[in-house]
Amino acid sequence: MPATRRDHKVLFTPGPTEVDPEILREMARPVIGHRGVEMQQLIKDLTPRLRPLFGTRAHDIFLTTCSATGLWEAALRNCVARRVLVPVCGAFSERFYEVALACGLEADPLHVESGRAVQAQGIADMLATGRYDAVALVHNETATGVTNSLSEIAEAVRRQGDVVFLVDAVSSLGGIPVEVDRNGIDVCLASVQKCLALPPGFSICAVSQRALERSARRVGKGYYLDFVRLKSFFDRNLPMATPSVSHLFALRAQMKRIEAEGLEARYARHRVLADLARAWASARFALFAEDKARSNTVTCVANTRAIDVARFIQELAARGFAISNGYGRLKEATFRLGHMGDHTADGLRELLGAMDAILSEVFA
Ligand SMILES: *Cc1c(COP(=O)(O)O)cnc(C)c1O
């Protein structure tokens, strides 16, 4: 992020995040039709590129023109027949639960104290009742800066047998390993405006054979995001309805950039960014998330100095940066730094420097 680029606010928000100019240019390409060979080639090129990102060899990959909220509905409506368990550890996981209810499904929340991670044992205990046929988990809770342990929770889900594992990897996919196959994830979903650093309005998911079998038996799952219908189109490398073609161009370009960086290097870069953000925050404020569960893509800073967060954000805006206030109930109690996508350590240091300047000049 060059220091000179101040024609807009550089986004250090935990979604949307800063989009590279190269990607913005891809979005401006001339539109192509969505029923022709060019489109088929585009999708055929994209699908295998997305598999390593998800960590899956054989799941179906669907590219959907809606934000991840649409895929929350899709995962739940296609896969839950009896009752879904939704661990709630912040505002996003709470909304995942609310979406289940809004879809008319039987659902129970499993509440965890804000700032803490979901414990696998709690899930195992609930599943042992035999009431559930699905678990819907937010991997990285963007409201609190907590990353839940996929491997431990996956183990609890796997032990229970025929329980499908639905995972929101919206603010982790591309920044923190998700490992769909290794973790037995049936539906893994993400928007593209978080760690993939594309403009918002598009989403992707990986769907297992088992999820498709569930979907085939479900009625009342709707049309637009019916997994069986989506598969019948994507098997032919075609979108089901008119997609955001511009996003497909941008995603292809971004996947090439991600491959050039290398996934491991990308995850390592996110770890470096998180270390910088956490060191800054703990020296000046405190970290909201519990130790060992702190996210590598978003840092939730506890506002221990009781600064006026709205004013802080305003001052940062004047210096060309955007960060986020706390989410929902945490609005003034915290503020959040998104360090996901294509951000670099130098770029983040600029933000941290600007925040220090404001702290000493405005909040001294
Ligand atoms: C941003 C976010 C969402 C919502 O995604 P939309 O693209 O706005 O629908 C869901 N879950 C998590 C964890 C998020 O960070």
Side-chain angles (χ1 to χ4, degrees):
M1 214 66 60
T4 49
R5 210 173 84 215
R6 285 291 179 271
D7 57 329
H8 69 285
K9 280 182 282 177
V10 177
L11 299 184
F12 282 94
T13 47
T17 195
E18 188 64 12
V19 180
D20 192 273
E22 190 185 327
I23 298 300
L24 292 175
R25 283 194 294 277
E26 289 290 328
M27 294 291 288
R29 271 178 189 269
V31 168
I32 59 170
H34 62 284
R35 291 283 172 248
V37 174
E38 281 169 292
M39 175 57 71
Q40 284 183 301
Q41 277 165 351
L42 181 51
I43 292 179
K44 194 173 174 197
D45 179 25
L46 262 173
T47 306
R49 295 201 133 121
L50 291 172
R51 288 222 170 79
L53 184 70
F54 280 106
T56 185
R57 287 169 46 131
H59 278 32
D60 283 287
I61 305 291
F62 302 142
L63 314 165
T64 43
T65 302
C66 58
S67 78
T69 304
L71 287 178
W72 272 348
E73 289 198 5
L76 294 161
R77 295 176 78 186
N78 279 276
C79 297
V80 181
R82 285 195 292 132
R83 198 173 189 96
V84 59
L85 178 64
V86 190
V88 173
C89 62
F92 285 96
S93 39
E94 191 172 319
R95 206 184 306 160
F96 206 174
Y97 166 66
E98 285 164 7
V99 167
L101 297 183
C103 289
L105 299 168
E106 302 289 336
D108 290 315
L110 171 60
H111 288 285
V112 174
E113 196 187 329
S114 193
R116 297 200 166 267
V118 173
Q119 295 302 310
Q121 189 56 48
I123 293 177
D125 293 345
M126 295 283 274
L127 293 182
T129 62
R131 300 171 78 200
Y132 302 97
D133 64 353
V135 170
L137 178 80
V138 170
H139 178 206
N140 189 73
E141 176 50 81
T142 317
T144 61
V146 163
T147 306
N148 291 307
S149 167
L150 273 181
S151 57
E152 288 170 21
I153 296 167
E155 181 57 33
V157 175
R158 192 183 298 118
R159 275 202 306 272
Q160 197 53 38
D162 198 29
V163 173
V164 291
F165 193 21
L166 315 174
V167 174
D168 165 328
V170 178
S171 59
S172 53
L173 188 77
I176 304 168
V178 175
E179 299 292 353
V180 163
D181 286 351
R182 194 173 305 158
N183 290 314
I185 298 171
D186 290 285
V187 178
C188 184
L189 62 95
S191 316
V192 296
Q193 79 276 15
K194 308 263 169 125
C195 306
L196 298 178
L198 300 188
F202 201 77
S203 53
I204 57 178
C205 63
V207 175
S208 73
Q209 183 59 38
R210 185 163 73 151
L212 281 158
E213 285 161 14
R214 282 275 181 98
S215 174
R217 295 195 300 267
R218 292 289 298 147
V219 290
K221 61 188 162 176
Y223 186 99
Y224 189 62
L225 296 169
D226 169 4
F227 287 161
V228 173
R229 179 171 284 104
L230 286 173
K231 180 173 167 59
S232 74
F233 282 88
F234 280 104
D235 277 351
R236 292 173 282 144
N237 296 307
L238 286 170
M240 199 272 291
T242 317
S244 171
V245 174
S246 312
H247 272 103
L248 292 169
F249 290 141
L251 183 57
R252 177 178 57 186
Q254 184 65 323
M255 288 314 299
K256 286 182 187 163
R257 296 171 83 238
I258 290 173
E259 286 158 14
E261 180 178 20
L263 273 176
E264 288 311 318
R266 192 173 180 85
Y267 299 142
R269 176 167 54 79
H270 281 81
R271 281 195 298 275
V272 168
L273 296 180
D275 283 340
L276 280 171
R278 291 198 278 257
W280 182 91
S282 50
R284 289 152 186 82
F285 293 89
L287 294 164
F288 185 76
E290 69 170 312
D291 192 19
K292 295 199 179 68
R294 290 175 186 149
S295 169
N296 285 344
T297 63
V298 49
T299 293
C300 186
V301 184
N303 183 14
T304 47
R305 291 158 77 154
I307 61 164
D308 177 343
V309 170
R311 173 90 196 275
F312 189 50
I313 288 173
Q314 216 179 349
E315 292 287 341
L316 271 171
R319 288 164 168 82
F321 297 99
I323 64 165
S324 292
N325 51 17
Y327 200 98
R329 285 187 288 273
L330 300 172
K331 195 173 167 76
E332 282 287 322
T334 64
F335 59 92
R336 295 170 303 147
L337 312 178
H339 31 80
M340 57 179 78
D342 294 339
H343 281 302
T344 61
D346 284 346
L348 179 59
R349 281 194 198 95
E350 274 187 54
L351 168 74
L352 302 178
M355 293 199 299
D356 275 338
I358 294 167
L359 286 181
S360 61
E361 289 162 25
V362 182
F363 294 106

